[in-house]
Every structure is written in structure tokens, then in C-alpha cells.
Amino acid sequence: MGRADPEEGQLPPPVKPPDGGWGWIVLLGCFVITGFSYAFPKAVSVYFKELMKDFHVGYSDTAWISSIMLAMLYGTGPVCSIMVNQFGCRPVMLIGGLLASSGMILASFTTNIIELYLTAGVLTGLGMALNFQPSLIMLGTYFDKRRPLANGLAAAGSPVFLSSLSPLGQVLLEKFGWRGGFLIMGGLLLNCCTCGAVMRPLDMGMKRKMEKAQDKYEAKEMLPIGGKSEEGISTTDGTKKAKKAKKKPKKGKKLLDFSIFSNRGFIIYTISKFILVLGLFVPPILLVNYAKDTGVPDTEAAFLLSIIGFIDIFARPACGMVAGLKWVRPHVAYLFSFSMLFNGLTDICSARASNYTGLVIFCVFFGISYGMVGALQFEVLMAIVGSQKFSSAIGLVLLIEAFAVLIGPPSAGRLVDALKNYEVIFYLAGSEVVLSALFLAMATYCCLNRGKKKEPPPEKNPSAGGGSDTEEAESDVQEAEEHSSDNHQPAHSTDNAVVAASEEANHVAEEQSGEGGGCPEGDREVLARDSCNADQTVERDSF
């Protein structure tokens, strides 16, 4: 009854991902959420020139708006993990959509830069965080075999929205000013609520199907004999109560799982991502103002982000398809390190681009490498920790990356104000990305692959692997054996009594045959054993 019991489905549920069906709708919602979460902080940079004029601040001050957005997106990761594990993905995403929209609407009425930090930075950033992380968790729930492709398609939302939001922001800035642009952007963010509404929990649907099947099964069991049906109902009720009692202490453990820090692969990934984020977002944030300072018109400068986005649209799904190949997927960490190395070298080689043609070439190669990084970053994390612990892992990773986000772009903005030179910034950002790529590749090879070669072959231990389905199946078999042994104890005692009675009957028969002298002694022993075995079989069959 262990496998057929619907009460056994529990977070993380042993439900096989459908790899399709409603999952494609979930993928579409994740596509939109990813687009807003990653493209919005970059698209807001279109308004920075006007904000500097109205509030009489420097570029480093306005760069804090994008940094705070990204810091909230990353820094509130553990809070999002706790809320998702407590309330589910759908309610959290609906609240996040309302917060993101209200933040931009309130930002259109601000009178100083501090109010912009609190509204467009903190409030909007928190709202996008409450949408971004649950959407990735739902995507990992609905996809397994096609997960690299699904991650690549969902990550393509970032370039699609970047290529559209940046020109749209420029048009809104010219027609309505930055206040009208912020107000309209706030209305667009309400679409996050629609995406949250389609995030149907997979385990709840499977539980309902299992409950219906279980009800039919129990109804059939109740039909033949009343006594057996009562025993079946009592045993199923007893097992359900026992399982409910076991579930209660597990609820406290679901909020945030810190045991993932014992995973060496997770530690390596976290350190590498921290170094990566220091320089990854700096070039696209500074690109528009860099182009304007070199004499490029405002419309053409904003179009550079559209070029990155257009190339990125095709790079992310293509990289996801490559990562899903059978001979590539086991080595996806090395593909991720290669993509980071490609991105860092692009920044370094394009640092001296001084005309529009050079900037366009930089945008093409940056779009390819940036798309590869975006398509693989969460696929690598899922491959390291598994889908069961992904909700806690992504929250902790994003929290650590938040510190890098607060350090990277603002520091680059201060260097620009001090040196009046963008070349140094591109060199510095590219060097940080290259360092993260080399660290991930070398640490993965030295610490993980060599460690696997030195380890002896694993014994047949269900807890050594991470297969929750195998563990549950074996625990069900053990429970069934214990239950059957408990039920057969009275039968064994009855069999012992029957054996004793048959031995006494055989003893009387021997005495009688001894007096009558009809058979030899050896034959009498054989007959006595045969009659004893026959009596035992008859009595056991009757039971």
C-alpha cells in the first residue's frame, strides 16, 4: 500500500516531470519573468542621462539604481526560498508582480535620488525577485530530460526583452519624459501577475489523480468480505496516520536546506559565480553611455543593446540544445567555464573600440558569449545539487552573488567618474570573468573529477546515490515485510500447536503399531514424518 497511497506525495514529491504538456505554458511564463528580471535593470540605464540632469548627480549615483535592482534580485534569494517552501510558487509570484509594478509607478512621482533608490531599486527589485526564483523552481519541476533546452528557451527571455525594452524606453523618454516612461513601465510589469497565475503546482495535480485511483481501489477492496475490508481500512488508516505523523517534523526542514554546503561542487560553483558577477554586468550597463560619450547619437547608442539582445535570442536556445546532448551533458560545467572565458576575452579584446563599427562587433561577440552564460548558469546548478534541493541552493547562491552585484557596477561607475576612461573598466571586467572561468574549470577537474577516480566503486546502498524513488521503493518493501511478519506471528504459533498435536498422534500410532507389529521400525519413522508433514501442510493451507 506504500506506493499507491496518495498521502506519500510530499515536497519534494516523487513525481516524474512530464517534460511537456502544461510545462510549455510554465515555460512561457518563465520566459516572460526572466526577460523582465534581467533586462529591466539594463533597460533602465536609458533614463540615466535625464536623471543626472534633473537630480544633479553623477553617473555612479544613477548606476546604483540598476545595482540595487540586481542586489534585491540576488540578495533576497533565501527569503524567496522560504516563502516558496512555505506558501508555494503561485502566491509568491502574484505578490511579486504587484510589488514590481507599484515600485515603478511610485518612482515616477519621486523628487530625489534617494526616493528612486527605495521605489525603483528596492521595491521593484524585490518584486522581480519574488517572480524570478519561483519561476525557475517551477521550470525544474516540469522538465527533466528536456531541462537544458527548457532553461535555454526560458533564458532567451532576457535578450528578447532587452532588445525591445531598450528602444521602447528611448521612445518613451522622448515622448513622455522619464516620469511617463517609468509609469508605463510599471504598467507593463503587471504582466508578471499573469505569469504567476499559470504556475500550477505539479504535485497537487498528481496527488488528485492518485487520490481518485486510491478511492476506486479501496472501494473494490471493500466489496468481497466485510471482515477483510475492515482490516484493509484499518491498516490503510493506520499507515496514513503514521505517515502524517512522519510528515510533521519534515515541515521545519523545508524552509532552507544548509546541507548543500557540504557539496564541494556547490562551493566551487558559488565562488566562481561570485567572481563572475563582479564583471559580467558592467559592460552592458556602461555601454550606452560609453557610446554617447564617443559621439554616437542617442538612438544608435540605445540600438547597441538591441544588437546584444538579438544575438542573445539565438545563442541561448542553441547553447541549451548543445548542453542537452548525451556526450555534453555530463561535462556541462566545462562548457559553462568555456562560455565565461569567451565572454571575458570579448571584453578585453574590445576595450579599445572607439567607433560605432567596433562597438557593433563587440556587441555581436558579447551577445553570443553572454547568451551561453545565461543558458548554462542554472542548468549547472541543477546538475550539481539536483532538483530536490534546487529551491534552497538558488536562494543561497543569489544571496552570495548580491554582494558582488553591489560591488561591481557601482565601483565601475566611480572609476569612470574618476578616470574618465572606459578602457580600464572593460579590461578589469574582462579579467574578472576570465578568472572565474579558469577557477571553475581547474577546481572541477582537480577537486571533483580526481576525487571521483580515487573513490572506490559504491556498494549497493540505496542512500549512497540520491535516487529518492529507489529509497522509497525499498522502504515500502521493508514496511510490507514488517507488516506481513506481524500478521503471520499468530499463524506461526498455531502451526506450532498443530505440529505438537500431530507428534502426539504419531507417538500413539507408533505404540499401537509396536503392539500390532505390522511394520518395521525404519518404515514407521518414515511414515510418522510423512504424516506429520502432511498434517502441517493441510493445517497451514486451511489458515
Side-chain angles (χ1 to χ4, degrees), residues 363-390:
C363 290
V364 171
F365 286 97
F366 185 86
I368 296 173
S369 59
Y370 190 78
M372 294 175 65
V373 172
L376 295 173
Q377 55 179 345
F378 297 115
E379 172 61 27
V380 173
L381 181 59
M382 288 182 185
I384 291 173
V385 301
S387 59
Q388 306 295 323
K389 296 184 179 181
F390 180 70

Short mmCIF file of all heavy atoms in Angstrom, two decimals, residues 363-390:
data_model
loop_
_atom_site.label_atom_id
_atom_site.label_comp_id
_atom_site.label_asym_id
_atom_site.label_seq_id
_atom_site.Cartn_x
_atom_site.Cartn_y
_atom_site.Cartn_z
N CYS A 363 29.36 44.02 -29.64
CA CYS A 363 28.01 43.59 -29.24
C CYS A 363 27.67 42.21 -29.80
O CYS A 363 26.99 41.42 -29.14
CB CYS A 363 26.98 44.61 -29.70
SG CYS A 363 27.06 46.18 -28.82
N VAL A 364 28.15 41.90 -31.01
CA VAL A 364 27.86 40.60 -31.60
C VAL A 364 28.51 39.48 -30.79
O VAL A 364 27.85 38.51 -30.38
CB VAL A 364 28.34 40.55 -33.07
CG1 VAL A 364 28.25 39.13 -33.62
CG2 VAL A 364 27.51 41.51 -33.93
N PHE A 365 29.81 39.61 -30.52
CA PHE A 365 30.50 38.56 -29.78
C PHE A 365 30.07 38.53 -28.30
O PHE A 365 30.00 37.47 -27.69
CB PHE A 365 32.02 38.76 -29.88
CG PHE A 365 32.57 38.38 -31.22
CD1 PHE A 365 32.80 39.33 -32.20
CD2 PHE A 365 32.85 37.05 -31.52
CE1 PHE A 365 33.31 38.98 -33.43
CE2 PHE A 365 33.36 36.68 -32.75
CZ PHE A 365 33.58 37.65 -33.72
N PHE A 366 29.80 39.70 -27.76
CA PHE A 366 29.32 39.73 -26.37
C PHE A 366 27.95 39.07 -26.27
O PHE A 366 27.67 38.38 -25.28
CB PHE A 366 29.25 41.17 -25.86
CG PHE A 366 28.90 41.28 -24.41
CD1 PHE A 366 29.88 41.19 -23.44
CD2 PHE A 366 27.58 41.47 -24.01
CE1 PHE A 366 29.56 41.28 -22.09
CE2 PHE A 366 27.25 41.57 -22.67
CZ PHE A 366 28.23 41.48 -21.71
N GLY A 367 27.10 39.26 -27.27
CA GLY A 367 25.78 38.64 -27.24
C GLY A 367 25.87 37.12 -27.28
O GLY A 367 25.12 36.43 -26.59
N ILE A 368 26.80 36.58 -28.09
CA ILE A 368 26.96 35.12 -28.16
C ILE A 368 27.44 34.57 -26.82
O ILE A 368 26.88 33.61 -26.27
CB ILE A 368 27.94 34.75 -29.29
CG1 ILE A 368 27.37 35.18 -30.65
CG2 ILE A 368 28.22 33.26 -29.28
CD1 ILE A 368 28.35 35.00 -31.80
N SER A 369 28.52 35.17 -26.29
CA SER A 369 29.09 34.66 -25.04
C SER A 369 28.16 34.88 -23.86
O SER A 369 28.01 34.02 -22.99
CB SER A 369 30.44 35.33 -24.78
OG SER A 369 30.29 36.74 -24.70
N TYR A 370 27.50 36.02 -23.83
CA TYR A 370 26.57 36.31 -22.74
C TYR A 370 25.37 35.36 -22.78
O TYR A 370 24.86 34.94 -21.73
CB TYR A 370 26.10 37.76 -22.84
CG TYR A 370 25.34 38.26 -21.65
CD1 TYR A 370 26.00 38.63 -20.49
CD2 TYR A 370 23.95 38.38 -21.69
CE1 TYR A 370 25.30 39.12 -19.40
CE2 TYR A 370 23.25 38.86 -20.60
CZ TYR A 370 23.93 39.22 -19.46
OH TYR A 370 23.22 39.68 -18.37
N GLY A 371 24.92 35.03 -23.98
CA GLY A 371 23.83 34.07 -24.10
C GLY A 371 24.22 32.68 -23.62
O GLY A 371 23.43 31.98 -23.00
N MET A 372 25.45 32.27 -23.90
CA MET A 372 25.91 30.97 -23.43
C MET A 372 25.96 30.92 -21.91
O MET A 372 25.56 29.94 -21.28
CB MET A 372 27.29 30.67 -24.02
CG MET A 372 27.30 30.48 -25.53
SD MET A 372 28.97 30.28 -26.20
CE MET A 372 29.43 28.73 -25.45
N VAL A 373 26.45 31.99 -21.30
CA VAL A 373 26.50 32.05 -19.83
C VAL A 373 25.09 32.00 -19.24
O VAL A 373 24.82 31.27 -18.28
CB VAL A 373 27.25 33.32 -19.38
CG1 VAL A 373 27.14 33.49 -17.86
CG2 VAL A 373 28.70 33.26 -19.79
N GLY A 374 24.18 32.79 -19.83
CA GLY A 374 22.82 32.82 -19.30
C GLY A 374 22.08 31.51 -19.45
O GLY A 374 21.27 31.14 -18.60
N ALA A 375 22.36 30.77 -20.52
CA ALA A 375 21.67 29.50 -20.74
C ALA A 375 22.18 28.39 -19.83
O ALA A 375 21.43 27.45 -19.52
CB ALA A 375 21.81 29.07 -22.20
N LEU A 376 23.43 28.48 -19.38
CA LEU A 376 24.04 27.36 -18.66
C LEU A 376 24.12 27.56 -17.15
O LEU A 376 24.31 26.59 -16.42
CB LEU A 376 25.46 27.13 -19.19
CG LEU A 376 25.58 26.68 -20.64
CD1 LEU A 376 27.04 26.64 -21.07
CD2 LEU A 376 24.93 25.31 -20.83
N GLN A 377 23.99 28.78 -16.65
CA GLN A 377 24.30 29.03 -15.25
C GLN A 377 23.38 28.24 -14.31
O GLN A 377 23.86 27.61 -13.34
CB GLN A 377 24.22 30.53 -14.95
CG GLN A 377 22.91 31.20 -15.31
CD GLN A 377 22.92 32.67 -14.96
OE1 GLN A 377 23.78 33.14 -14.20
NE2 GLN A 377 21.97 33.43 -15.50
N PHE A 378 22.09 28.20 -14.56
CA PHE A 378 21.19 27.49 -13.67
C PHE A 378 21.11 26.00 -14.00
O PHE A 378 20.80 25.18 -13.14
CB PHE A 378 19.80 28.12 -13.71
CG PHE A 378 19.79 29.54 -13.21
CD1 PHE A 378 19.48 30.58 -14.06
CD2 PHE A 378 20.12 29.83 -11.89
CE1 PHE A 378 19.49 31.89 -13.61
CE2 PHE A 378 20.12 31.14 -11.43
CZ PHE A 378 19.81 32.17 -12.30
N GLU A 379 21.40 25.63 -15.24
CA GLU A 379 21.48 24.21 -15.59
C GLU A 379 22.63 23.54 -14.85
O GLU A 379 22.50 22.41 -14.37
CB GLU A 379 21.66 24.08 -17.10
CG GLU A 379 21.94 22.65 -17.57
CD GLU A 379 20.84 21.68 -17.23
OE1 GLU A 379 19.67 22.10 -17.12
OE2 GLU A 379 21.15 20.49 -17.07
N VAL A 380 23.76 24.23 -14.73
CA VAL A 380 24.90 23.68 -13.99
C VAL A 380 24.54 23.52 -12.51
O VAL A 380 24.87 22.51 -11.88
CB VAL A 380 26.13 24.58 -14.17
CG1 VAL A 380 27.28 24.12 -13.28
CG2 VAL A 380 26.58 24.58 -15.62
N LEU A 381 23.85 24.51 -11.95
CA LEU A 381 23.47 24.42 -10.54
C LEU A 381 22.49 23.27 -10.30
O LEU A 381 22.62 22.54 -9.31
CB LEU A 381 22.84 25.75 -10.09
CG LEU A 381 22.41 25.82 -8.63
CD1 LEU A 381 23.59 25.57 -7.69
CD2 LEU A 381 21.76 27.17 -8.33
N MET A 382 21.53 23.09 -11.20
CA MET A 382 20.60 21.96 -11.07
C MET A 382 21.32 20.63 -11.18
O MET A 382 20.98 19.67 -10.48
CB MET A 382 19.50 22.05 -12.15
CG MET A 382 18.49 23.15 -11.96
SD MET A 382 17.23 23.13 -13.26
CE MET A 382 16.29 24.60 -12.84
N ALA A 383 22.31 20.56 -12.07
CA ALA A 383 23.06 19.32 -12.22
C ALA A 383 23.90 19.02 -10.99
O ALA A 383 24.13 17.85 -10.66
CB ALA A 383 23.96 19.41 -13.45
N ILE A 384 24.33 20.04 -10.26
CA ILE A 384 25.18 19.83 -9.09
C ILE A 384 24.35 19.39 -7.89
O ILE A 384 24.68 18.41 -7.21
CB ILE A 384 25.96 21.12 -8.76
CG1 ILE A 384 27.01 21.39 -9.85
CG2 ILE A 384 26.65 21.01 -7.40
CD1 ILE A 384 27.72 22.72 -9.70
N VAL A 385 23.28 20.11 -7.58
CA VAL A 385 22.52 19.85 -6.35
C VAL A 385 21.28 19.00 -6.58
O VAL A 385 20.72 18.46 -5.62
CB VAL A 385 22.14 21.18 -5.66
CG1 VAL A 385 23.37 21.98 -5.33
CG2 VAL A 385 21.19 21.99 -6.53
N GLY A 386 20.79 18.90 -7.80
CA GLY A 386 19.56 18.16 -8.07
C GLY A 386 18.33 19.03 -7.87
O GLY A 386 18.37 20.06 -7.20
N SER A 387 17.24 18.62 -8.46
CA SER A 387 16.00 19.40 -8.40
C SER A 387 15.40 19.42 -7.01
O SER A 387 14.65 20.34 -6.67
CB SER A 387 14.98 18.84 -9.39
OG SER A 387 14.70 17.48 -9.10
N GLN A 388 15.72 18.41 -6.16
CA GLN A 388 15.13 18.35 -4.83
C GLN A 388 15.62 19.48 -3.94
O GLN A 388 14.87 20.01 -3.13
CB GLN A 388 15.45 17.00 -4.18
CG GLN A 388 15.07 15.78 -5.00
CD GLN A 388 13.58 15.67 -5.19
OE1 GLN A 388 12.82 15.97 -4.29
NE2 GLN A 388 13.15 15.23 -6.36
N LYS A 389 16.89 19.87 -4.07
CA LYS A 389 17.48 20.90 -3.23
C LYS A 389 17.70 22.20 -3.99
O LYS A 389 18.35 23.12 -3.48
CB LYS A 389 18.82 20.42 -2.67
CG LYS A 389 18.70 19.23 -1.73
CD LYS A 389 20.04 18.86 -1.14
CE LYS A 389 19.91 17.69 -0.18
NZ LYS A 389 21.22 17.33 0.43
N PHE A 390 17.14 22.31 -5.19
CA PHE A 390 17.40 23.48 -6.01
C PHE A 390 16.80 24.75 -5.42
O PHE A 390 17.38 25.84 -5.52
CB PHE A 390 16.86 23.26 -7.42
CG PHE A 390 17.08 24.41 -8.35
CD1 PHE A 390 18.35 24.72 -8.80
CD2 PHE A 390 16.03 25.21 -8.77
CE1 PHE A 390 18.58 25.79 -9.66
CE2 PHE A 390 16.23 26.27 -9.62
CZ PHE A 390 17.51 26.56 -10.07
#
